[in-house]
Amino acid sequence: MNRRSFFKEVARSLTETGKEVIYPLFENDIEKIERAADVLQGISWYPVDHLSLGYGEQMISGRLVCFFFDGQKAAACGKECRECHEMAQWIAYDQQLVCPGCEKSFSFREKGGSLNLAIYPVKNEQQKWWVGLPDKGVFSDA
């Protein structure tokens, strides 16, 4: 092995060792930053019961939350229309939520619509689904 190859190998080895030593430190910092962001946004994370394919509803922390799960990704929203405060109805054949009061609709497949619902973040950690709900007294559209 010539000198140049030797130094390349030493540099690569030191870089890999540095990554292995430093990564846990950054991982903890990233988790702290995520928790701080959640506190600043007024979000608390709650575990979700088993999600089945398609549409479902669950009562979480006193809120009725609608879920749509396609097998890999999940989406969550509130069921109350923010404009007329009616409870949206799930129309299975159209695969959308429709407000009976103002007749606006929201589609999970198109990720939008004219119906103004509270959209909640969803994450999958440690093989469990979690939904982020606004803390009591914190407005979700602030």
Side-chain angles (χ1 to χ4, degrees), residues 46-116:
Y46 297 92
V48 175
D49 291 337
H50 174 73
L51 289 177
S52 56
L53 286 175
Y55 177 79
E57 298 175 356
Q58 294 182 26
M59 187 65 88
I60 299 174
S61 183
R63 293 187 173 119
L64 186 57
V65 180
C66 304
F67 291 95
F68 191 81
F69 183 56
D70 67 3
Q72 295 181 350
K73 294 180 184 177
C77 67
K79 196 168 180 186
E80 181 181 349
C81 175
R82 289 179 162 181
E83 294 175 18
C84 67
H85 302 288
E86 290 283 332
M87 293 299 256
Q89 301 298 315
W90 175 248
I91 309 299
Y93 65 87
D94 279 339
Q95 293 196 345
Q96 61 184 357
L97 287 165
V98 176
C99 177
C102 58
E103 298 181 3
K104 295 180 179 178
S105 64
F106 177 85
S107 171
F108 282 104
R109 293 207 188 272
E110 296 172 12
K111 297 180 177 130
S114 58
L115 181 58
N116 186 11

